[in-house]
Amino acid sequence: MKNTMKKRLILLVLLCAAALACTACGGDNNAAEASTTSELPVVLNQGEYVLYQNIFYNDYGSRYDGTEVTKQGVFATIYDAYSSMTRYYVWGYLDNTKCCDWQWEIKVKNTNNLPANGSLVSVKGTFTSSDDALDGYWITDPQITVKTKYENPAPADLDMCTLSDTLERVQVINILNRAEAFEGKSFSAYGRILSMTMLQDPYYDGSWQIPFMPKAGTQTPAIGTTVELRGTVTGGKLADCMLKAIN
């Protein structure tokens, strides 16, 4: 009897160990339970912004190449039509003005069960130089843990309202110059009214602008108003737009 019980205990321990091993090898993201929110998280981190500036504008990248990093921020994706690939990011702001931002690209291999765009996540991996990264560096072998899941009240194919200003600029440039890749896709976007048919960067003059066409019967707010738009991409324009003024 004692030997039988001992064998059962050993078998139980081995099964538990195997289960833990499978969990540890489970891919790029952690499927642990997380709270949910319908409000886009706001992540402020001055240190990340300074590091971002030093790496991409002051040539500090080689100092961090190959180092282990952990980043907490908002998860987002853009479609890079120039390279025919989806790119993944974790991002945040410098401060409450929200005009200055930072973003780190993530090299995702396993796209199963990725967080929803706009979710608050922690990303742990290796900061690595690569010609395939959009700006020359990305986080490889990432473990993505969801802290707060974002439940988008109006999801779209291109959720630009879940992007930093910098990432939205990149996506807009893609739409303008590779229009065929985005034809017919639903979108959300934010920016300032430049004219009754032109949207521009929400913070900076001359950064980017894209034509928009309001939905029939929709009133366009005054020039200079910051707005949220939802509609469909048509011919490189933001078409059939519903507009809402935002702070």
Side-chain angles (χ1 to χ4, degrees), residues 127 141 214:
F127 189 72
D141 300 318

Side-chain angles (χ1 to χ4, degrees), residues 95-229:
D95 55 31
N96 271 315
T97 62
K98 300 182 181 179
C99 61
C100 298
D101 49 53
W102 49 266
Q103 41 273 309
W104 307 106
E105 187 174 357
I106 310 164
K107 184 182 181 182
V108 172
K109 293 181 181 179
N110 180 6
T111 58
N112 294 327
N113 301 316
L114 283 173
N117 285 349
S119 296
L120 178 65
V121 300
S122 176
V123 180
K124 183 178 181 180
T126 304
F127 189 72
T128 307
S129 61
S130 173
D131 291 337
D132 294 327
L134 190 59
D135 293 312
Y137 294 93
W138 54 13
I139 299 172
T140 59
D141 300 318
Q143 293 294 317
I144 304 173
T145 302
V146 180
K147 300 295 185 180
T148 305
K149 180 182 178 182
Y150 179 56
E151 291 187 341
N152 195 329
D157 298 325
L158 303 171
D159 275 323
M160 289 186 281
C161 282
T162 65
L163 301 179
S164 67
D165 180 43
T166 297
L167 292 176
E168 185 181 31
R169 181 175 71 245
V170 174
Q171 191 65 89
V172 166
I173 290 171
N174 271 265
I175 293 171
L176 289 169
N177 296 319
R178 293 290 188 273
E180 66 283 354
F182 302 95
E183 187 69 19
K185 292 188 179 297
S186 61
F187 75 86
S188 67
Y190 64 105
R192 286 177 297 152
I193 298 295
L194 179 61
S195 71
M196 293 300 99
T197 57
M198 192 70 70
L199 186 74
Q200 70 169 341
D201 187 293
Y203 306 108
Y204 301 105
D205 294 339
S207 171
W208 59 262
Q209 54 187 249
I210 188 170
F212 73 91
M213 296 178 290
K215 190 178 182 70
T218 299
Q219 183 175 359
T220 300
I223 290 173
T225 304
T226 301
V227 294
E228 177 183 298
L229 292 79

Side-chain angles (χ1 to χ4, degrees), residues 227-239:
V227 294
E228 177 183 298
L229 292 79
R230 295 183 182 274
T232 304
V233 179
T234 304
K237 299 178 181 179
L238 306 181

